[in-house]
Amino acid sequence: RIDGSLTLSQLAVLEGLRGLDSLAQLDGDLSLADCPVLASFDGLATLEELGGSLVVEGEGGALAFQGLDRLESVGGSLYIDGHPGVVDFTGLEALNRIGAHLRVDEGLSLQALHGLENLESLGGDLSLSECPRLESLVGLESLVHIGGDVYLWDNGGLVDLSGLGSLASVGGDLGAYYNDSLVGVVGLESLATVGGDLELRYSASLAGLEGLA
């Protein structure tokens, strides 16, 4: 057990996380930044609970979440900030709760949200911005409630909101901006409550709102 955080930063030749095999609980954050040859989280197979945030940022090659197969709860946020190697979230299939935000900024390689199929509770925001290869939100089929805002900004390949079919309520605002390929809001058929504003702006291909029926 680690009572604080585990930070791995600017480790140019780090290839794996073997040596952490018995770590079952981490009370703080798990942060990974600028570890260019690290390809997975293998070595953390016993980690079940993360009290803080899981943060991946900086430069790197292809990075998968394999090795976090037992992680059920993240007390803080799951945050991907500009890492070019994250394609999806495969390896996080055990995750059912995020206490704060699910956020991806500049997810240039992100193609899908696969791996998050068992995520039921998101306490904060769902924020996806500048993810040009992301076409839908498939992978979030179990998500029923989002406590904060939904913020979708400048995701050039996003066609619709498929994947949010179980979403019943959003505690804050729901906004989609500058998503040039967005043709509809299919995927929001179960949405009954938005606690704040609903805004759809600057999406030239948006042809209908039938998904809100």
Side-chain angles (χ1 to χ4, degrees):
R1 169 175 173 167
I2 297 177
D3 291 337
S5 296
L6 173 59
T7 301
L8 302 171
S9 178
Q10 298 184 4
L11 302 174
V13 296
L14 181 69
E15 296 181 347
L17 303 180
R18 299 296 179 187
L20 298 172
D21 305 76
S22 61
L23 183 63
Q25 183 174 343
L26 176 58
D27 290 344
D29 299 334
L30 173 56
S31 298
L32 178 67
D34 295 309
C35 298
V37 299
L38 187 66
S40 76
F41 288 84
D42 284 338
L44 291 173
T46 58
L47 185 63
E48 298 179 356
E49 182 178 349
L50 178 61
S53 297
L54 174 55
V55 180
V56 177
E57 58 187 339
E59 295 301 317
L63 178 67
F65 289 91
Q66 276 87 2
L68 293 172
D69 310 78
R70 295 187 183 180
L71 184 63
E72 298 179 355
S73 175
V74 172
S77 298
L78 173 53
Y79 182 27
I80 313 300
D81 183 13
H83 194 288
V86 176
V87 175
D88 59 26
F89 293 95
T90 299
L92 291 175
E93 285 82 2
L95 186 64
N96 58 57
R97 173 186 172 272
I98 297 175
H101 312 305
L102 171 55
R103 178 175 174 181
V104 182
D105 294 338
E106 292 186 75
L108 301 182
S109 299
L110 187 69
Q111 299 178 17
L113 302 181
H114 298 308
L116 299 175
E117 285 84 358
N118 290 311
L119 182 65
E120 299 176 357
S121 174
L122 180 61
D125 301 339
L126 171 62
S127 177
L128 303 170
S129 62
E130 296 181 270
C131 303
R133 303 179 69 182
L134 185 67
E135 296 184 358
S136 74
L137 304 184
V138 170
L140 297 178
E141 287 84 358
S142 296
L143 191 58
V144 174
H145 174 69
I146 295 174
D149 300 330
V150 175
Y151 180 73
L152 305 172
W153 188 80
D154 193 17
N155 302 295
L158 189 65
V159 175
D160 59 37
L161 304 184
S162 297
L164 292 179
S166 297
L167 185 64
S169 62
V170 174
D173 300 334
L174 194 162
Y177 314 90
Y178 298 102
N179 299 291
D180 292 338
S181 299
L182 189 68
V183 297
V185 289
V186 171
L188 294 178
E189 290 81 2
S190 297
L191 184 63
T193 304
V194 175
D197 298 327
L198 172 61
E199 293 190 338
L200 303 171
R201 296 175 179 260
Y202 312 114
S203 298
S205 301
L206 187 64
L209 302 178
E210 288 77 10
L212 295 173

